Amino acid sequence: MSAFVGTGVALVTPFKNDLSVDFEALERLVEDQIANGIDYLVVLGTTGEYTTLTKQEKEQVIKCIVTVNNGRLPLVLGIGGNNTMAVVDEVKSTNLKDFQAVLSVSPYYSKPSQEGIFQHFKMVAEASPLPIILYNVPGRTASNMLPETIARIALECDNVIGVKEAAGDIVQAMKLISLVPEDFKVISGDDMITLPMTLAGGAGVISVIGQAFPAEFSHMVQLGLEGNAKEAYQIHYKIAPSIDLAFAEGNPVGIKAILEKKEICSKNVRLPLVNASEGLQNKIGEFINQFHTAIV
């Protein structure tokens, strides 16, 4: 399988009760992904709470994941922001030798025009020694990268190889797939529509929920890539309720609560996020019990 086709996961950053980084839990998480069929790992994305980590903690998290992975899976590093020159400087100054691509989010808060988005990524792409995967997530950035803009970037920036498309809009995703070059990877960034996007010609997913159910989710995506819709949807409908639970109180609040129930890491998040409510934790516990019964 070619790079960045299949199931990637956006790793959480586990915290201890004192909210320091739990590196033992991070090691468990990475090993669990590798053992259960995940195709690549995304480091320090939104799910990793990178905005609340210090520079030293980011470096330590990267070192831990790189060491545990030991070259077994491709690694993607999140580097993005709304200050173009700062993103360029970070790309240039970061040691990227252990990574195979950079995931870079569309500029948030500033709400640039489509031309501004294009010029931003053109400059970032020119600065990057690694391939770039764009990240369109309007729910967080307050601006939508239109399919035409992404297609323009794909055609004019040789080292932009794909996009994590997380608008949650299957019609927009299908239009995007129809416009970009055949080798440009349209990767779902929305767990709930991963399967229809894959069946429509997408390259798979960069998933949140996939790290909680790596074997099942990666199998579903593989079936989708093979065009086996019927069997793939059987898995989708088993997993789907957990996706709603994972995002009910925000990301990564829900996924961490699920991972705690699975004894991989604690549910702890850093402010301004707060831990999953007792009600959500109870629903998650009920789902996991039913899920394992259904799968078995």
Side-chain angles (χ1 to χ4, degrees), residues 115 157 238 257:
E115 182 65 25
C157 303
K238 288 187 176 82

PDB file of all heavy atoms in Angstrom, residues 115 157 238 257:
ATOM      1  N   GLU A 115      -7.634  33.134  -1.681  1.00  0.00           N
ATOM      2  CA  GLU A 115      -6.324  33.525  -2.204  1.00  0.00           C
ATOM      3  C   GLU A 115      -5.283  33.540  -1.083  1.00  0.00           C
ATOM      4  O   GLU A 115      -4.129  33.105  -1.264  1.00  0.00           O
ATOM      5  CB  GLU A 115      -6.392  34.896  -2.880  1.00  0.00           C
ATOM      6  CG  GLU A 115      -5.075  35.362  -3.494  1.00  0.00           C
ATOM      7  CD  GLU A 115      -4.602  34.481  -4.648  1.00  0.00           C
ATOM      8  OE1 GLU A 115      -5.433  33.823  -5.298  1.00  0.00           O
ATOM      9  OE2 GLU A 115      -3.374  34.459  -4.893  1.00  0.00           O
ATOM     10  N   CYS A 157       1.686  23.182  -6.328  1.00  0.00           N
ATOM     11  CA  CYS A 157       2.694  22.925  -5.290  1.00  0.00           C
ATOM     12  C   CYS A 157       3.021  21.431  -5.303  1.00  0.00           C
ATOM     13  O   CYS A 157       2.260  20.612  -4.766  1.00  0.00           O
ATOM     14  CB  CYS A 157       2.183  23.352  -3.921  1.00  0.00           C
ATOM     15  SG  CYS A 157       1.690  25.091  -3.825  1.00  0.00           S
ATOM     16  N   LYS A 238     -21.416  -0.651  13.792  1.00  0.00           N
ATOM     17  CA  LYS A 238     -21.068  -1.068  15.153  1.00  0.00           C
ATOM     18  C   LYS A 238     -20.261   0.017  15.873  1.00  0.00           C
ATOM     19  O   LYS A 238     -20.417   0.242  17.066  1.00  0.00           O
ATOM     20  CB  LYS A 238     -20.277  -2.380  15.127  1.00  0.00           C
ATOM     21  CG  LYS A 238     -21.104  -3.612  14.759  1.00  0.00           C
ATOM     22  CD  LYS A 238     -20.269  -4.869  14.938  1.00  0.00           C
ATOM     23  CE  LYS A 238     -21.097  -6.126  14.676  1.00  0.00           C
ATOM     24  NZ  LYS A 238     -21.200  -6.432  13.254  1.00  0.00           N
ATOM     25  N   ALA A 257     -11.551   9.549  27.379  1.00  0.00           N
ATOM     26  CA  ALA A 257     -12.432   8.796  28.283  1.00  0.00           C
ATOM     27  C   ALA A 257     -12.603   7.361  27.791  1.00  0.00           C
ATOM     28  O   ALA A 257     -12.636   6.414  28.589  1.00  0.00           O
ATOM     29  CB  ALA A 257     -13.784   9.483  28.403  1.00  0.00           C
TER      30      ALA A 257
END
